[in-house]
Amino acid sequence: MTADELIILYEDNHVIVVLKPQMVACCPDESGDNNLFDVVKDYIKTAYNKPGNVFLGLVHRLDRPTGGVMVFAKTSKAAARLSEQMKNGGFEKKYYAVLVGTPSKKQATLENYLRKNSVNNTVYVCTQTEEGAKFASLDYSVLQEANGLSLADIKLHTGRTHQIRVQTAAINCPVYGDMRYGGDKAVKGKLALWAYSLKFPHPTTGESMKFIIEPPKDETPWKLFNI
C-alpha cells in the first residue's frame, strides 16, 4: 500500500480518519511489513511538504485481517485527548461480523475474562482470578441469516486483543475465515470482520464525530447479505 492508495474519510489540523484495508497492519511490527501508520505519515509529509520526522499519534488498533475505519492524531495534544477518550469509553466502535452458524440468542451481551498468550499470540477465555485476566464485554445482534451464516452487528465496550473473534468462538459461532479460533467450524476465506462505524468527540472542539464505511459488498461472504 502507498500514500496514493490511501482513502481519507476526513482530515483537519488535528485528526485524520482513514480506511484501513484488510491484511494491512495498522502500525509497524516485528514483521517489518508495509503498514497504515507509515503510509499516513508519508501522505502528510508529501501533501504538506513537511521536513524531518512527521508526528502521527496511534490511538487505537485494528487486527491485520480486519478492515474499516481508523483515526490517527496529527498533534500530540490531539493524541493525548483521544487516548484519554479511548480509555474512558468516549469512543463508540461498531463492527459487522459474519458468523458461522447463528447464536442461540439473536441479541445478547457477551462478558468474559480473556488472557493473552504472548508466545503464540493467541487469546483465550479464562477465569477472573487467572493472572493476566482482562475483562471483555460486547453487545451483538443478529441482523440476517443466509447459507448457514449470520450477519451480526457488534458494539465493543472493551478493546481487548482478538476480542470479537475469541468471544464469538466461545459461543460456538466463530467469525467466518477465522482459522485461528474457528476450531472444527472454521471456514477458509478472508476474515469477515469489519470496523464499520467509529464515533468520538473531536479532541479540540468536543464536537461529536461519526464515520461509517461499509464492508466490500461484492466479496464473499458479505455479498450473501443485504448491508
Side-chain angles (χ1 to χ4, degrees), residues 10-17 71-74 78 82 200 202-203:
Y10 175 83
E11 183 185 8
D12 62 22
N13 292 335
H14 310 280
V15 298
I16 180 167
V17 182
V71 59
F72 294 93
K74 290 175 69 178
L82 288 174
F200 59 91
H202 191 279

Side-chain angles (χ1 to χ4, degrees), residues 175-186:
V175 177
Y176 179 100
D178 196 344
M179 305 309 290
R180 182 174 300 197
Y181 298 109
D184 57 6
K185 293 187 79 172

Side-chain angles (χ1 to χ4, degrees), residues 121-138:
N121 194 30
T122 58
V123 177
Y124 61 91
V125 174
C126 65
T127 60
Q128 183 179 350
T129 54
E130 199 166 326
E131 188 183 343
K134 291 186 176 178
F135 180 70
S137 174
L138 61 79

Side-chain angles (χ1 to χ4, degrees), residues 109-218:
T109 298
L110 299 182
E111 295 183 339
N112 301 98
Y113 283 87
L114 306 181
R115 185 180 180 188
K116 184 175 181 179
N117 181 336
S118 299
V119 177
N120 58 10
N121 194 30
T122 58
V123 177
Y124 61 91
V125 174
C126 65
T127 60
Q128 183 179 350
T129 54
E130 199 166 326
E131 188 183 343
K134 291 186 176 178
F135 180 70
S137 174
L138 61 79
D139 297 333
Y140 76 82
S141 58
V142 175
L143 304 178
Q144 299 169 43
E145 297 172 57
N147 294 22
L149 305 172
S150 54
L151 175 67
D153 190 337
I154 295 171
K155 181 180 177 181
L156 281 183
H157 298 299
T158 54
R160 308 302 180 202
T161 303
H162 299 174
Q163 179 180 337
I164 294 172
R165 297 164 65 182
V166 176
Q167 288 194 279
T168 55
I171 59 167
N172 205 29
C173 291
V175 177
Y176 179 100
D178 196 344
M179 305 309 290
R180 182 174 300 197
Y181 298 109
D184 57 6
K185 293 187 79 172
V187 177
K188 277 191 176 178
K190 196 183 275 189
L191 188 75
L193 184 59
W194 189 268
Y196 78 88
S197 175
L198 186 64
K199 184 180 176 183
F200 59 91
H202 191 279
T204 59
T205 66
E207 180 190 351
S208 180
M209 316 271 287
K210 186 173 183 179
F211 302 94
I212 292 176
I213 190 156
E214 293 172 341
K217 293 180 185 177
D218 55 342

